[in-house]
Each structure stands twice: as C-alpha cells, then as structure tokens.
Amino acid sequence: MNLHGKTAIITGGSRGLGKAIALCLAQEGVNIGITGRNEETLKNVVHEIEKFGVRVAYATFDISKETEVKSGFSQLIHDLGEVNILINNAGIGNFGKLDEMPSQTWEQVIQTNLFGVYYAAQCIYPHLKELGEGDIINIASTAGLKGGAGMSAYAASKAAVISLSQSMMAEWRKNNIRVITLTPSTIATDMSIDGGLTDGNPEKVLQPEDFAEWVRDILKMNRRALIANGSIFSTNP
Ligand SMILES: NC(=O)c1ccc[n+]([C@@H]2O[C@H](COP(=O)([O-])OP(=O)(O)OC[C@H]3O[C@@H](n4cnc5c(N)ncnc54)[C@H](OP(=O)(O)O)[C@@H]3O)[C@@H](O)[C@H]2O)c1
C-alpha cells in the first residue's frame, strides 16, 4: 500500500524509536504529528521532518496525564486535519529491584506506559471510526511476554499493554481499524543504553532504523492483512 498522503501521530516522537519512525514515514510522504514533554527536542525533529516536504505538527504534553493528552490530541488533529495512523510509542523504563523501587516510581511507569496508550487510543478512536479506516500500532516489549529480575514495573506495564492492545483489536477491528501489538527486544536508544541493557555495546543490538523500517513495512501491507502481533530480535545478541 502506498502511504503517501496519509497522516500519522507518533507519541514520544522526539527521540529513539519514535523519532526514527517519524523520519522513516515522512520519507514515504506521510504527514507527521509528534508528541513529547520537551518542546526543544520536538522542534528539532520537526525541522528534520520538514525536509521531506510533508505537513508536520507537534504537541508538548505528558502522556501520563489524561487532560493534557486530550487537549494535545485535539490540537494535533486540528493542525493536521485527517489522521489515519497512531503509533503508541511514548514510554519510560525504570529498572531496579522490586523491594527497592519506590512505589511512586512503580506508579509512574504504569501510568505512563499503560495509561498513556489507553488515553491516546481513546482520543483517536472516534476519529478513525468516523473515517472508516485506520491503524493503531501499540509498542509493548519482549519484557511484557515474560517478567524478569530488575524490571518488575516495566514488564508489568508492557504485559498490560499487550493485553489492552489485544482487547482493542477485538473491539475495533470491525471498524476497519488494524490494531497491531509489537514486542521488540533491545534496541539502541537512550532508554536501553541508560538502563544498562546494551552491556556497553549498543552497536551490537538492533538500531532504531531497523525497527522503523519494520513498522513502515507493516503499515504498507494491503488493508485486508492485519499483523496482530510481532516480535523482533537482533540476530547475534
Ligand atoms: N529501546 C528498547 O530497547 C525498547 C525495547 C522494547 C520496547 N521499547 C519501547 O519503545 C518505546 C520507545 O522507547 P525508546 O527506546 O525510543 O525510548 P527513549 O529513547 O527513552 O524515548 C522515549 C520517548 O518517549 C517520550 N516520553 C517518555 N515519557 C513521556 C511522558 N511521560 N509523556 C510524553 N512523552 C514521554 C520521550 O520524550 P520526552 O522525554 O521529551 O517526553 C521520548 O520521545 C517505549 O514504549 C519503550 O518501552 C523500547
């Protein structure tokens, strides 16, 4: 499918995977809306995207706060007009021992990674339903498939995202909305490098561009085809 002229909102589009997806889709002629908490980094990505000659807008808000998400999304939909694709990407990784992690940190991880996906999807669903088609990609993690030491909050949040995303697909698919759950393994970004997940060798794991190209290819599939779930790993970890 040709993506030229479609419009995508990518949460957490200022850095890491979100930025790579934004640039990759802009290269295909997709109009882009990006979100994040830091206006300066968002503006820098906007300038990079403008070079592709597509429409681009940004909104600065905290994805863990429902009222901010609602006003941010209505601003973006107003600025961009029709929106066809939502990439639920914004997330945080706080790693540490279960008995040592403050409960506020635990709550913040769940509030950002799980409620952020829920809030954004609720904002875009009425728009896609009215349009009669759309795509929602929810980015979970292999950490959500199996819990592990030092990642209790993160793994629990991502397991919940997988479940939420599957329910979303079951309810919204009939409206010609493809809901896709992705569970990537480690990819070299601030989150994984700062979290000590790349063992000091970020060049050995997947790069953000690898993931972005996969997302692009999934979106390009004929609308009759829906990739419900997918994992991606580096070949030689
Ligand atoms: N990298 C990996 O190895 C990996 C593996 C599996 C899954 N994932 C998932 O992929 C997604 C992207 O991760 P990444 O590695 O690209 O992380 P990253 O480099 O740390 O980027 C995170 C993005 O999310 C935004 N963000 C974080 N908290 C936010 C909040 N409260 N409100 C609004 N925006 C927020 C950040 O912007 P601001 O800081 O400016 O707000 C940034 O744009 C996450 O959901 C992550 O869990 C990553």
Side-chain angles (χ1 to χ4, degrees):
M1 208 173 70
N2 191 345
L3 297 178
H4 194 273
K6 300 273 182 201
T7 301
I9 293 179
I10 300 139
T11 68
S14 57
R15 296 184 282 121
L17 304 187
K19 177 182 174 182
I21 294 166
L23 291 170
C24 185
L25 293 182
Q27 214 166 350
E28 294 288 319
V30 176
N31 304 310
I32 303 288
I34 51 171
T35 82
R37 290 165 299 182
N38 184 311
E39 185 163 24
E40 203 172 314
T41 50
L42 286 169
K43 278 183 174 171
N44 290 337
V45 178
V46 163
H47 291 317
E48 287 189 55
I49 291 171
E50 278 167 348
K51 290 176 197 147
F52 296 105
V54 296
R55 242 173 326 135
V56 55
Y58 73 92
T60 312
F61 60 83
D62 185 336
I63 199 82
S64 71
K65 303 206 163 80
E66 186 173 17
T67 47
E68 288 189 29
V69 180
K70 277 186 178 164
S71 65
F73 264 79
S74 61
Q75 181 210 312
L76 277 179
I77 292 171
H78 174 267
D79 291 349
L80 293 164
E82 194 174 284
V83 175
N84 315 95
I85 299 162
L86 168 66
I87 313 283
N88 258 321
N89 165 77
I92 50 171
N94 274 298
F95 305 104
K97 289 184 178 162
L98 180 54
D99 58 329
E100 290 173 4
M101 189 178 279
S103 63
Q104 294 91 331
T105 308
W106 231 87
E107 274 184 42
Q108 190 55 34
V109 172
I110 302 291
Q111 191 63 35
T112 304
N113 294 359
L114 173 60
F115 281 83
V117 168
Y118 164 73
Y119 297 146
Q122 290 284 79
C123 288
I124 211 70
Y125 174 62
H127 183 82
L128 298 183
K129 193 177 169 197
E130 198 182 322
L131 214 60
E133 70 164 64
D135 295 318
I136 299 176
I137 297 192
N138 295 315
I139 301 178
S141 167
T142 47
L145 299 170
K146 188 173 185 290
M151 53 171 63
S152 60
Y154 184 73
S157 74
K158 292 300 186 177
V161 168
I162 293 169
S163 181
L164 167 63
S165 185
Q166 289 168 343
S167 300
M168 210 183 273
M169 186 195 65
E171 291 189 24
W172 295 353
R173 183 182 172 189
K174 63 178 181 298
N175 299 115
N176 195 25
I177 298 171
R178 297 188 295 188
V179 181
I180 296 152
T181 313
L182 298 184
T183 50
S185 182
T186 307
I187 306 170
T189 64
D190 293 345
M191 179 187 290
S192 59
I193 296 166
D194 298 348
L197 304 180
T198 59
D199 291 331
N201 287 314
E203 66 288 347
K204 280 203 158 182
V205 298
L206 289 163
Q207 301 301 307
E209 296 71 28
D210 302 326
F211 185 70
E213 287 166 11
W214 186 41
V215 167
R216 175 201 64 198
D217 293 347
I218 288 171
L219 288 170
K220 285 183 94 159
M221 291 190 73
N222 192 292
R223 287 212 63 77
R224 65 177 170 257
L226 162 65
I227 304 278
N229 306 283
S231 292
I232 184 167
F233 298 87
S234 56
T235 309
N236 298 301

